[in-house]
Amino acid sequence: MSQQKAPKVKGAYLYAAGMISYNLEYAFIGNLTYALTNSFGISAMAAGTIFLISRIFDGFTDILAGVIIDRWNPKVGKARVYDLLHLPLWLCVILLFSVPDVGMTAKLIWVFVLYNTVQSVIATFMNVSEPLRLQRSFPEQARLKVMSVTSIGTLVFSMILGFTLPQLIKIYGAQPHGWTLIASIFAVPMVIFGLMRFFLLPELPQKESAKISHKLTIGDCLKALVQNKYALLYGVVMICWAMYNTMSTGTQNYFFQYIYGDIGGLSAMSIGTLLTIFFIALVPRLTEKLGRAQTVRFGLTATMLACLGRLVMPQNLVWLAVMSFIAMCGIMTLSFMKPLLTIDCITYGKWKTGNAVEAAYSTVNSLADKLGLGLGSFVLGAILELGKFDGTQAVQPDSAVFTIKMLYTVVPAALMAIALFALAFYNLEKRLPQMEQDLAAQETSH
């Protein structure tokens, strides 16, 4: 293969555009429980049950997506082709937030079908292919910079989402078709972002030896995953990460409406998002000094402490903004490292098994994401139900107020503690240089 040249600056921005679209969809879906309970008359328990049942289907589609992606190598690019899915992804999101005014059974069927179409099918292929998109579009020495640009871009647009969404909910949330309008406002630019990456960012030429020489089966993928202890540990961390993001996004609407007293105050949290950009700019240097895994450990510890810190002054907007800033800085270290850690697991898998599967390891990312999303949504709905929350009531009982407060503080801190425990056994990074030398020697000998 010809020597890989570092991509032009626009390549990093194009890659970031696709990730921004996917990440904003993920964040926007986190508001689904709130929309269903407060605008469409569906109970928190019913919504959470739908999300949990959907994870059973997800377990099958994640493995199937890994097999399909590994076996199919279209001319436009093995991972690039899935950039086209940004269009149906956002179209289905709009429909998901457009629950018709029909009977309760029909409403639940509508949500179940569209939620699974979005998360179990479309988002699955996008998520599984994403680490390969990075690996196949940029040489190794450029990936850290690409992820820095991607993280900063994601933060900027998350800030825009975080600032505008509460105001849009306040204005349109209770109106007929209000959520359809809200979803469409974000969908149009995000579809453009995703399609820009498909048309303007090609994949690099690939080494012949890196290509799959036989048709992979589901058994090959499952065997590769079971034999990769680091992929399994990473999966535990990612489940906690996804549950944290889902529950934080879903709970903050309730927290600011019923604890702080004004959902519009949530927009102030976007100030912390803006400041996080400066922290993310320092992550590459921090990573060079500490390493990828240790940087994540540092970040998750900060997030855990910040979540507990919210209990100190739960009705002080400035204090909440500071704690949200610290929590976001911490969790962004893991968001930053996700594709890089996945690529590390791929390297370990090739070294240990000699099986050149790639997308199979990305299924850990996808399955953990959506298992965490489903579990987080279910736990959120179940705890709200246990607390006797009723979205049709303007004033909630003390039990509901207490559970909302715990969901925004203690529960996410506990998730970070579990992730840190799993990371204590993750020592792959120090072994990678020797593994890469062994793999290079094997390629040379063939």
Side-chain angles (χ1 to χ4, degrees), residues 17-25 83 86-87 89-90 157 183-196:
M19 284 291 285
I20 289 168
S21 174
Y22 177 82
N23 286 330
L24 256 67
E25 179 273 334
D83 289 343
H86 287 273
L87 177 58
L89 176 77
W90 280 100
F157 281 89
S184 300
I185 289 172
F186 296 105
V188 173
M190 292 304 103
V191 169
I192 294 173
F193 275 26
L195 295 181
M196 279 174 54

Side-chain angles (χ1 to χ4, degrees), residues 333-354:
T333 60
L334 180 52
S335 303
F336 186 103
M337 299 295 176
K338 277 176 59 182
L340 302 176
L341 293 175
T342 303
I343 292 172
D344 289 348
C345 291
I346 291 173
T347 300
Y348 174 76
K350 288 181 180 180
W351 176 83
K352 182 175 177 62
T353 67

Side-chain angles (χ1 to χ4, degrees), residues 157-382:
F157 281 89
S158 296
M159 178 192 67
I160 295 172
L161 178 71
F163 180 81
T164 58
L165 185 56
Q167 305 305 323
L168 291 172
I169 293 173
K170 196 172 182 178
I171 297 171
Y172 300 109
Q175 297 185 11
H177 310 296
W179 278 98
T180 304
L181 175 62
I182 294 171
S184 300
I185 289 172
F186 296 105
V188 173
M190 292 304 103
V191 169
I192 294 173
F193 275 26
L195 295 181
M196 279 174 54
R197 191 170 80 167
F198 172 79
F199 288 110
L200 300 177
L201 182 63
E203 294 184 2
L204 297 171
Q206 300 297 307
K207 289 183 179 180
E208 198 67 28
S209 59
K211 295 180 180 178
I212 303 298
S213 59
H214 66 283
K215 296 296 185 181
L216 289 172
T217 65
I218 292 179
D220 291 329
C221 293
L222 290 174
K223 183 178 179 181
L225 290 174
V226 170
Q227 292 178 339
N228 195 322
K229 63 180 180 180
Y230 294 108
L232 297 178
L233 286 170
Y234 174 59
V236 173
V237 175
M238 288 308 304
I239 289 173
C240 293
W241 175 86
M243 288 185 69
Y244 171 88
N245 285 332
T246 301
M247 297 185 71
S248 294
T249 302
T251 306
Q252 63 186 4
N253 292 329
Y254 297 105
F255 184 89
F256 275 86
Q257 181 167 346
Y258 299 107
I259 306 298
Y260 178 72
D262 179 14
I263 193 173
L266 183 55
S267 295
M269 300 302 103
S270 62
I271 298 174
T273 304
L274 177 62
L275 295 176
T276 308
I277 295 173
F278 299 102
F279 171 77
I280 289 299
L282 299 175
V283 170
R285 184 173 297 180
L286 187 64
T287 303
E288 291 173 359
K289 184 176 182 179
L290 300 179
R292 290 187 282 273
Q294 189 60 24
T295 299
V296 173
R297 293 186 189 102
F298 170 79
L300 298 190
T301 301
T303 298
M304 178 179 66
L305 296 176
C307 289
L308 293 174
R310 291 167 176 159
L311 285 169
V312 177
M313 290 186 282
Q315 292 183 313
N316 186 303
L317 190 61
V318 175
W319 178 258
L320 291 173
V322 171
M323 292 300 101
S324 292
F325 166 68
I326 296 173
M328 185 168 292
C329 285
I331 203 68
M332 280 302 297
T333 60
L334 180 52
S335 303
F336 186 103
M337 299 295 176
K338 277 176 59 182
L340 302 176
L341 293 175
T342 303
I343 292 172
D344 289 348
C345 291
I346 291 173
T347 300
Y348 174 76
K350 288 181 180 180
W351 176 83
K352 182 175 177 62
T353 67
N355 195 350
V357 297
E358 294 176 322
Y361 297 114
S362 297
T363 62
V364 175
N365 244 352
S366 180
L367 182 58
D369 265 1
K370 286 173 292 169
L371 184 60
L373 176 61
L375 285 172
S377 298
F378 175 78
V379 171
L380 173 60

Side-chain angles (χ1 to χ4, degrees), residues 43-114:
S43 72
M45 179 61 78
T49 302
I50 288 175
F51 302 144
L52 185 62
I53 293 175
S54 299
R55 301 289 69 81
I56 299 174
F57 185 46
D58 261 344
F60 172 76
T61 58
D62 279 308
I63 299 298
L64 182 62
V67 173
I68 292 173
I69 292 171
D70 267 329
R71 292 180 65 168
W72 187 40
N73 196 359
K75 291 182 179 181
V76 296
K78 185 174 184 176
R80 181 187 182 188
V81 66
Y82 300 100
D83 289 343
L84 291 171
L85 293 178
H86 287 273
L87 177 58
L89 176 77
W90 280 100
L91 286 176
C92 288
V93 167
I94 293 173
L95 291 174
L96 178 59
F97 281 85
S98 304
V99 181
D101 187 14
V102 290
M104 183 57 63
T105 300
K107 285 184 178 181
L108 295 176
I109 293 173
W110 178 280
V111 173
F112 180 82
V113 171
L114 281 165

